[in-house]
């Protein structure tokens, strides 16, 4: 007999951090303290901020009298509130979405979930793992390759100048930009699919300005044609 899929919490930060947490125990703690199950290192997050709870009656979120509060679907809560499929919990700059697999079978996915699924290139910063079309990149990137990709991922869709790359990846104010071109070349050969290395799909050159990362090329093409 096939086991039922566990519910999940998807976790997104404004800096691009994304992870999925399987809800496989009765209590999941959230806060700034390192002992929490879900750590949000943000100054507006309390050390022990909130709890996700589950029992035979269902799922719930509880605010632990945090300083700046917990929002459920945009509304600040006090104490404990019941959770339903696709409910969104906001804590500081973190958006946590509850996904119940039993409910997912009964209707279409929300638009923002579909966008997340369609993101072809994704980075899990805590584990330094790069995913291409859902598959982890193997072997892993070198340190400088990952630092460059992580910088571009944090600003995905935005152009990052070579001067910024030199300062943030190498910490140099004056730099030989040829080394950046060489690093971009090596990174493209790791992340771009087969024939696209010379016509990149993800890591694009904005001639005269710098580079930008596109994690969902289909959306980028739609925007250009609109």
């Amino acid at each position: 007999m096939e086991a039922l899929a566990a519910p999940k919490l998807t976790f997104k930060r404004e800096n691009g951090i994304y992870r999925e947490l399987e809800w496989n125990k009765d209590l999941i703690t959230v806060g700034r303290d390192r002992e929490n199950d879900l750590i949000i290192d943000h100054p507006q997050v309390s050390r022990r901020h909130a709890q996700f709870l589950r029992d035979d009656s269902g799922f719930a979120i509880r605010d632990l009298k945090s300083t700046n509060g917990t929002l459920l679907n945009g509304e600040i809560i006090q104490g404990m509130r019941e959770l339903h499929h696709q409910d969104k919990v906001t804590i500081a700059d973190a958006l946590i979405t509850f996904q119940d697999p039993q409910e997912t079978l009964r209707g279409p996915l929300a638009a923002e979930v579909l966008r997340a699924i369609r993101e072809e290139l994704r980075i899990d910063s805590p584990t330094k793992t790069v995913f291409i079309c859902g598959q982890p990149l193997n072997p892993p990137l070198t340190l400088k390759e990952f630092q460059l990709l992580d910088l571009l991922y944090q600003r995905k869709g935005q152009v990052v100048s070579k001067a910024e790359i030199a300062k943030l990846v190498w910490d140099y104010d004056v730099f030989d930009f040829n080394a950046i071109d060489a690093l971009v070349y090596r990174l493209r050969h790791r992340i771009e699919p087969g024939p696209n290395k010379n016509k990149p799909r993800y890591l694009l050159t904005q001639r005269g300005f710098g580079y930008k990362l596109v994690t969902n090329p289909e959306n980028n093409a739609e925007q250009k044609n609109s």
Side-chain angles (χ1 to χ4, degrees):
M1 187 174 180
E2 212 173 276
L4 294 176
K8 289 183 179 179
L9 299 171
T10 63
F11 175 77
K12 299 179 184 178
R13 297 280 303 276
E14 285 184 356
N15 60 6
I17 291 176
Y18 174 91
R19 63 177 291 203
E20 292 182 356
L21 182 67
E22 191 171 276
W23 195 338
N24 54 12
K25 59 181 184 178
D26 293 337
L27 178 67
I28 294 175
T29 59
V30 185
R32 200 173 70 247
D33 194 284
R34 306 303 296 180
E35 294 182 0
N36 289 288
D37 299 298
L38 194 53
I39 300 164
I40 307 175
D41 54 347
H42 191 287
Q44 292 181 343
V45 177
S46 299
R47 291 178 65 252
R48 302 181 187 280
H49 196 105
Q51 296 173 331
F52 286 92
L53 307 99
R54 62 176 293 181
D55 58 24
D56 292 339
S57 64
F59 305 89
I61 175 74
R62 174 189 287 151
D63 179 77
L64 299 177
K65 298 182 179 179
S66 62
T67 302
N68 292 292
T70 300
L71 278 70
L72 175 61
N73 299 324
E75 176 188 344
I76 196 160
I77 65 171
Q78 293 182 348
M80 188 162 64
R81 291 278 294 274
E82 190 176 358
L83 279 178
H84 302 281
H85 177 59
Q86 291 298 339
D87 274 349
K88 294 170 178 56
V89 174
T90 305
I91 299 175
D93 71 340
L95 177 65
I96 306 167
T97 304
F98 169 56
Q99 296 193 39
D100 183 348
Q102 301 308 305
E103 293 291 337
T104 304
L105 299 175
R106 299 176 193 165
L109 292 171
E112 68 179 49
V113 176
L114 286 172
R115 283 194 295 271
I117 291 171
R118 290 171 184 156
E119 190 172 53
E120 292 183 15
L121 188 151
R122 180 169 62 83
I123 291 179
D124 182 22
S125 293
T127 63
K128 310 301 183 192
T129 305
V130 178
F131 294 90
I132 308 287
C133 296
Q135 298 299 313
L137 192 63
N138 189 31
L141 298 175
T142 65
L143 176 61
K144 289 302 178 194
E145 288 169 351
F146 182 84
Q147 287 176 332
L148 173 58
L149 185 61
D150 193 39
L151 169 63
L152 295 171
Y153 187 79
Q154 289 176 28
R155 301 191 192 177
K156 52 190 169 186
Q158 302 175 22
V159 178
V160 181
S161 70
K162 290 185 180 182
E164 287 183 279
I165 293 172
K167 186 163 185 61
L168 296 173
V169 176
W170 276 275
D171 194 24
Y172 293 160
D173 289 318
V174 180
F175 193 73
D176 179 4
F177 288 164
N178 290 328
I180 295 175
D181 295 335
L183 181 60
V184 168
Y185 177 83
R186 295 196 301 272
L187 181 57
R188 278 183 175 144
H189 273 255
R190 292 303 319 280
I191 66 172
E192 298 289 352
N196 289 329
K197 292 176 176 58
N198 296 322
K199 293 184 178 179
R201 184 172 174 82
Y202 307 123
L203 208 173
L204 308 182
T205 301
Q206 297 294 303
R207 200 168 298 280
F209 294 96
Y211 300 98
K212 74 174 180 179
L213 187 72
V214 175
T215 59
N216 189 343
E218 288 184 7
N219 276 3
N220 191 56
E222 289 172 4
Q223 290 170 4
K224 285 184 177 179
N225 295 329
S226 61

